[in-house]
Amino acid sequence: MADATADIPGKLVAEGRNTRPRFRVNTRAVVMTLYLLFLMLPIYWLFNMSLKTNTEILNTFTLFPRDLTFDNYRTILTDPAWYMGYVNSMIYVVMNTVISLTVALPAAYAFSRYQFLGDKHLFFWLLTNRMAPPAVFALPFFQLYSSVGLFDTHIAVALAHCLFNVPLAVWILEGFMRGVPKEIDETAYIDGYGFGRFFVKIFMPLIASGIGVAAFFCFMFSWVELLLSRTLTTVDAKPIAAIMTRTQGASGIDWGVLAAAGILTIVPGALVIYFVRNYIAKGFALGRV
Amino acid sequence: MEKTVNQKAWFLVLPVLLLVAFSAVIPLMTVVNYSVQDTFGNNQFFWAGLEWFDEMLSSERMWNALSRQLLFSGIILAIEVPLGIFVALNMPKSGFWASVCLVLMSLPLLIPWNVVGTIWQIFGRVDIGLLGRTLAALGIDYNYTQDTFAAWVTIVVMDVWHWTSLVALLAYAGLKSIPDAYYQAAKIDQASRWKVFRYIELPKMMGVLMIAILLRFMDSFMIYTEPFVVTGGGPGNATTLLSIDLVKMALGQFDLGPAAAFSIMYFLVIMLISWVFYTVMTNLDKKGG
């Protein structure tokens, strides 16, 4: 009997507690299948649309493309007005990740190792910036960056996203750093390492996974945010997410291209997710799990 | 971990402080400035005191937006938290399928927010969307651009789709930290499934669940892009949540004074509620060790 059920996905859940009656095991698999189906269906529908022609989208209702076409993707990948959106997004996202990590690393170290005047308040104050609604900051940011001449540049968006990414990075890194025993620092100092050399040569490799996770989360939150990046840009640094709205032409919406653009924005996240899958909860919990 | 008192740690925190001061304090002060001044144009401002606050507090528009917001956050918390726990309980504990679940569940979290909106906008359309078409075929009258109830259902389901996985992932991380011995002890005591959940799993998950609730509350309270893309705040003002209303007021009508007063109260409400959550969370942390 055990062999007969070996191919059913439900079998795997039995590993956890293997004395369950069989119907129980199947319930688990059914629940997960239904939930994952619910998650995947809308994405599948977008993917499905991106491979159809507009005539097919509007005139027939099919669960998979009858008239398979890659024209929608070709349109995006050959037109600079389109693909520059991806380039712009990438530039400010990478800038933001680098800035956030650079300033967050020493700060997280200070929070995890030392007690100093106002440390707890400062730590909570950082978190409050994660709570700040972007809508509140949209207009002031617009005026601030216009007045210093940074409007419509990548660095403006990167700095604006620091508002929520720096606190996030500090929190995540602090969570990882707490796990490193302090004896390591002390031994290194006794061995004659200065702070800088110790930090880069010994400490950073120890929390490499933490840095990776923090980088991933900075990358992600900067990538998914739209309100601020759209407010701060017009042409030169316009992110792909904002460019997507221009599919609304005179002849109605170009659904196929819109769907293809949407699918292409999912790709970067999907690519890296595998590497951080076990840390995702920790990252979302701001390093507190 | 015992921390050493070291005031020089401030130097390590300084970069974060300067950066966040630039990207949070300056813009926030701009908002405060606007909230107490009035203008006749030409960049000439004069003192208005608390006039705008008075006006906003007595304006029906803000109270309506606030109650819609509270309703929205309440509904999604009431659905996402139990559902997330339920999904986490049913997830495979280890092995290949656990990875598959983690990766697929994380996918919606990494999609740019306006693309999430676009996905559901398309998915729900009666002419080309799978959901809209199916519901229409079943004879259910569903049109999220005209019908208030349908619009609400759409944005709630969209949020559940988007963020339930976050709650599930955090709860799952909490579940995984429970040692096997606990379950064995429960088995010896012949505890029922419900009792195991109530007295072992739930208390152990409490810490991460608080984080999940805090995050979901904060993020749902400042949600803007997703519902805006789907409904644009309509039909009428039926789905005009706080952020949507604020952006309309600040960037659309350029009513700086009222918008600024609105912003400040908005931020204060979020901070207040989050602070309560945070205090409960840190107290739990201390108790749990």
Side-chain angles (χ1 to χ4, degrees), chain B:
Chain B
M1 191 191 310
E2 277 297 303
K3 291 182 187 175
T4 351
V5 179
N6 181 357
Q7 303 301 346
K8 280 191 202 131
W10 266 100
F11 288 111
L12 295 174
V13 188
L14 204 62
V16 165
L17 211 63
L18 291 178
L19 185 64
V20 179
F22 179 71
S23 66
V25 179
I26 297 178
L28 209 58
M29 285 323 289
T30 328
V31 178
V32 172
N33 246 333
Y34 282 130
S35 74
V36 291
Q37 298 186 70
D38 198 358
T39 178
F40 289 130
N42 293 335
N43 264 333
Q44 286 180 319
F45 289 90
F46 57 88
W47 178 254
L50 296 178
E51 197 183 301
W52 295 126
F53 288 91
D54 268 350
E55 190 187 310
M56 287 317 294
L57 280 175
S58 57
S59 97
E60 216 164 280
R61 176 176 170 179
M62 190 186 92
W63 288 111
N64 286 341
L66 181 66
S67 49
R68 278 191 292 264
Q69 184 69 64
L70 285 171
L71 183 67
F72 178 74
S73 294
I75 295 177
I76 63 114
L77 278 177
I79 299 177
E80 285 173 15
V81 174
L83 183 63
I85 296 175
F86 181 64
V87 169
L89 288 173
N90 283 293
M91 268 174 79
K93 287 267 183 303
S94 57
F96 172 72
W97 288 101
S99 294
V100 170
C101 285
L102 283 174
V103 170
L104 289 182
M105 281 167 63
S106 315
L107 203 53
L109 304 172
L110 291 147
I111 300 176
W113 293 340
N114 71 315
V115 179
V116 171
T118 309
I119 288 176
W120 279 89
Q121 187 198 21
I122 291 173
F123 198 57
R125 277 180 71 107
V126 191
D127 51 349
I128 57 171
L130 184 61
L131 178 72
R133 262 307 254 276
T134 314
L135 287 178
L138 291 172
I140 299 167
D141 191 17
Y142 168 86
N143 187 339
Y144 65 83
T145 52
Q146 320 252 302
D147 179 32
T148 305
F149 182 69
W152 267 84
V153 170
T154 313
I155 61 169
V156 166
V157 172
M158 173 175 70
D159 202 78
V160 169
W161 177 83
H162 193 182
W163 291 111
T164 303
S165 296
L166 170 65
V167 182
L169 287 173
L170 288 174
Y172 177 71
L175 278 178
K176 271 187 56 157
S177 68
I178 303 176
D180 253 358
Y182 284 53
Y183 290 112
Q184 284 155 11
K187 201 183 274 168
I188 292 167
D189 290 346
Q190 297 196 318
S192 65
R193 182 73 192 88
W194 166 250
K195 288 233 163 102
V196 170
F197 174 70
R198 173 68 190 79
Y199 295 104
I200 297 179
E201 291 174 336
L202 193 60
K204 278 279 170 187
M205 271 194 291
M206 223 39 207
V208 271
L209 272 185
M210 284 311 296
I211 298 175
I213 296 172
L214 174 71
L215 280 177
R216 279 319 299 134
F217 168 76
M218 273 166 19
D219 290 344
S220 70
F221 220 74
M222 41 200 204
I223 192 168
Y224 170 80
T225 315
E226 303 94 309
F228 183 77
V229 171
V230 176
T231 64
N237 275 330
T239 54
T240 304
L241 303 171
L242 280 174
S243 274
I244 298 179
D245 207 17
L246 179 58
V247 171
K248 235 185 236 172
M249 205 186 280
L251 295 174
Q253 302 157 347
F254 234 68
D255 283 335
L256 295 184
F262 186 162
S263 299
I264 288 173
M265 290 188 277
Y266 183 10
F267 197 11
L268 283 180
V269 169
I270 294 198
M271 261 178 53
L272 188 75
I273 306 183
S274 299
W275 182 78
V276 172
F277 276 121
Y278 178 79
T279 317
V280 175
M281 204 168 93
T282 34
N283 282 346
L284 271 177
D285 239 17
K286 269 183 214 140
K287 257 198 321 201

Side-chain angles (χ1 to χ4, degrees), chain A residues 4 33 66 77 90 92 117 126 153 172 175 193 208-209 230:
Chain A
T33 312
R66 291 279 154 75
L77 295 175
M90 277 298 172
Y92 73 68
L117 198 66
L126 279 178
T153 56
I172 294 178
Y193 278 86
S209 57
R230 198 190 57 185

Side-chain angles (χ1 to χ4, degrees), chain A residues 29 38 53 60 67 88-89 110 113 119 150 177 192 201 222 225 236 239-240 251 277 286:
Chain A
F38 167 61
T53 58
T60 50
D67 186 11
N88 289 335
S89 292
R113 290 295 191 261
D119 53 351
L150 286 177
M177 286 178 186
K201 287 246 154 125
S222 184
E225 206 280 337
D236 293 340
I240 179 62
S251 54
R277 66 189 181 285
L286 308 161

Side-chain angles (χ1 to χ4, degrees), chain A residues 239-251:
Chain A
I240 179 62
I243 290 178
M244 280 178 66
T245 44
R246 75 181 204 130
T247 43
Q248 263 146 319
S251 54

